[in-house]
Amino acid sequence: QVQLVESGGGLVQTGGSLRLSCAASGRTFSRYTVGWFRQAPGKEREFVASITWSGNMINYADSVKGRFTISRDNAKNTVYLQMNSLKPEDTAVYYCAAAQAYADLRRGYWGQGTQVTVSS
C-alpha cells in the first residue's frame, strides 16, 4: 500500500516557478514509477511527467518539455516537479500517481492533488 500527498501548489504569475512535492508512505515506494498528471476545469486529466524508481527513465509531455523537471529522492520517499516559465495554460490541479510500471500509472495509487494557478 502506498499513500501519496502532494504539496507546493499555489498562485504564481506568468513566467514564475513552483516546485511540487509528492511525499509517499510505504517501504516499497522506492521501487515504484511515479508520474505527475494535471486536470484543468472541464478537461480530462493529462500526463505531465514520469520517472522510474531508479531515475534512469524520464518522460515529459511535449507541452512541458524544457520547462518542467521531475526528480526523486528515494531516501526521503519524495518525488518533485520543478516548474519554470509557467504559463496560464499550466493552471490545473496537479496529481502524483505511483505504480510498478509506467503503463499502470493511471490505475495506480493517487494523491489528493494540489492546485496550481498561473495568472496572466
Side-chain angles (χ1 to χ4, degrees), residues 4 12 20 24 27 44 58 74 76 84 97 99 101-102:
L4 305 174
V12 64
L20 305 184
R27 291 181 298 174
E44 293 186 353
I58 291 174
N74 288 335
K76 295 183 178 180
N84 299 327
Y102 170 80

Side-chain angles (χ1 to χ4, degrees), residues 82-95:
Q82 177 67 44
M83 306 187 296
N84 299 327
S85 302
L86 283 162
K87 305 174 182 180
E89 50 264 44
D90 294 318
T91 295
V93 177
Y94 282 71
Y95 300 89

Side-chain angles (χ1 to χ4, degrees), residues 11 20-21 26 30 40-42 47 49-50 61 72-73 81 88 104 106:
L11 174 64
L20 305 184
S21 298
S30 62
F47 169 79
S50 65
R72 68 189 297 163
D73 185 339
L81 185 68
D104 298 326
R106 289 184 181 269

Side-chain angles (χ1 to χ4, degrees), residues 3 7 10 18 22 25 34 56 63 73 76 78 81 85 92 99 102 108:
Q3 293 182 326
S7 62
L18 285 173
C22 173
S25 62
V34 176
N56 67 339
S63 58
D73 185 339
K76 295 183 178 180
T78 303
L81 185 68
S85 302
Y102 170 80

